Amino acid sequence: MTAMVYDFLATPIGRLLLAGDAAGLRCIAFEDARQAGCIGAGWRHDAGALRSAREQLAAWFAGELTVFDIALAPQGTPFQRAVWAQLQRLPYAGTISYGELAQRLGRPAARRAVGAANGANPLPIVVPCHRVIGADGQLTGFGGGLALKRWLLQHERRHAAPPFALAP
């Protein structure tokens, strides 16, 4: 692995920590007590190395971008990476239940495992784990809290053309 670099991005939801290396973006962390602990020993601050991620996230927050085109390099188990790949297929402003996501993975009984993988997503927003909701349509767990999850979904819906539906 090459040297990790990081930078911060001011957003309407607070400052985000962005971190990555030559392979791609590896981490996005919301501003809270955990963010400081995310920066690893030997990481260096380098805004230029993460310019594409910063620009695309800024455009997303401005409502000008609905699909990211950033090199991503999240670390996880093969199952987690499969869940995260499915998340990237979800349409902007759409939602899906954990059970439906498990079905799409060919693992209908793996709802809880899908939930755990969703919760372990190191790249929120770009890998849109906020679009996964409970089977009853209610908002459920999110690393940044339910208020932030609600904000992210409402933001997308403000900037998307209707209808908002489950991904095909």
Side-chain angles (χ1 to χ4, degrees):
M1 183 188 310
T2 59
M4 289 287 286
V5 295
Y6 71 93
D7 195 19
F8 297 97
L9 175 67
T11 75
I13 61 170
R15 193 169 73 151
L16 297 178
L17 168 70
L18 310 178
D21 61 16
L25 189 64
R26 292 192 181 270
C27 174
I28 297 173
F30 299 114
E31 183 173 37
D32 63 15
R34 293 174 295 167
Q35 191 180 77
C38 279
I39 299 172
W43 291 17
R44 67 180 171 77
H45 182 256
D46 184 346
L50 299 167
R51 182 180 8 202
S52 180
R54 290 174 48 85
E55 290 172 352
Q56 288 188 42
L57 279 160
W60 185 89
F61 278 105
E64 300 165 354
L65 181 80
T66 60
V67 177
F68 292 96
D69 183 21
I70 303 170
L72 304 178
Q75 294 180 304
T77 67
F79 181 77
Q80 288 172 327
R81 289 193 311 268
V83 170
W84 302 336
Q86 278 295 327
L87 291 174
Q88 290 180 274
R89 293 184 182 101
L90 298 177
Y92 183 81
T95 57
I96 190 171
S97 71
Y98 293 95
E100 178 61 27
L101 193 53
Q103 288 280 348
R104 290 185 187 186
L105 289 164
R107 308 259 318 260
R111 279 187 285 252
R112 290 183 190 267
V114 164
N118 201 50
N121 174 17
L123 296 167
I125 303 171
V126 174
V127 176
C129 53
H130 61 278
R131 296 180 190 155
V132 184
I133 60 173
D136 61 359
Q138 297 296 309
L139 299 186
T140 58
F142 185 67
L146 293 183
L148 179 54
K149 184 173 189 166
R150 184 175 296 106
W151 189 97
L152 295 170
L153 289 169
Q154 289 172 345
H155 169 76
E156 288 186 345
R157 289 179 177 160
R158 278 191 306 273
H159 298 284
F164 315 113
L166 291 176

